[in-house]
Amino acid sequence: MVDEAKSVLKEDPVMAELLEEHNPYAEPNWTEFERLCISIINQQLSTASAAAVKERVFELLDEEVTPESILDADEEKLRDAGLSRMKVEYMRNAAEAFQERDYSREGLSDHSNEEIIERLTEIKGIGDWTARMYLLFVMERPDVLPLGDLAVRNGIQELYGDGEEMTREEMREIAEDWRPHRSAATKYIWADYESE
């Protein structure tokens, strides 16, 4: 992570501790389409369940997760790998969309965060949370705060509210101190949350 982000985050005493304790949450270098499929798999599943399903789906497709391989895959086999009927449909919707339009980093680089969210959420099965994961991990936008993510909300409540429930507005206020590096802060919150 860039030094500028660290120096901003260090101003927050809680975040300063996380910087000392953790490496920021990092992921393998997925393609844009793979990352979108992972977000669809992750929707409304625990981290462990999602990881197991993702592994089975990727294995089924011989680690070749492309729009073509998703559209060619047998629906029953995808269901046996752990995808619900709805998620199979969502992944196929995403595959068709990727064949029709350019959702690559380069293709979306001139678009604002709001424009990218709008374009992605036109795909049935892609909601705000999934679009924000795309901004964070694919587009690598520096100032994304995905409060639709349960782990992020739980992490903020644990770290800043002693586990007491907080409103999203309260969380946004806390995150104001992290601007314009809320993506980096989010990755540290995930790293902390997943280390417990």
Side-chain angles (χ1 to χ4, degrees), residues 116-134:
I116 294 170
I117 290 170
E118 196 177 310
R119 186 176 279 199
L120 285 167
T121 54
E122 286 169 359
I123 305 168
K124 188 178 178 221
I126 308 298
D128 187 75
W129 176 82
T130 306
R132 286 182 191 281
M133 294 299 107
Y134 202 82

Side-chain angles (χ1 to χ4, degrees), residues 31-117:
T31 67
E32 292 95 332
F33 184 70
E34 285 172 337
R35 190 61 188 81
L36 188 61
C37 287
I38 291 166
S39 290
I40 291 170
I41 290 168
N42 289 351
Q43 289 171 2
Q44 297 172 327
L45 287 182
S46 71
T47 306
S49 301
V53 173
K54 182 233 143 212
E55 201 170 303
R56 290 195 299 269
V57 169
F58 275 54
E59 206 171 280
L60 172 69
L61 301 172
D62 295 323
E63 306 299 323
E64 288 292 319
V65 181
T66 63
E68 295 69 33
S69 70
I70 290 289
L71 292 169
D72 290 345
D74 180 77
E75 181 173 347
E76 283 313 306
K77 286 184 178 167
L78 288 170
R79 303 259 293 116
D80 290 344
L83 291 175
S84 65
R85 186 162 275 117
M86 216 165 225
K87 284 191 182 177
V88 171
E89 184 193 328
Y90 293 169
M91 284 171 84
R92 291 197 162 153
N93 292 344
E96 286 169 1
F98 264 68
Q99 288 182 329
E100 289 162 15
R101 291 181 86 171
D102 184 359
Y103 291 94
S104 67
R105 287 179 190 92
E106 293 76 26
L108 294 174
S109 63
D110 291 340
H111 292 66
S112 70
N113 288 359
E114 289 67 32
E115 287 168 341
I116 294 170
I117 290 170

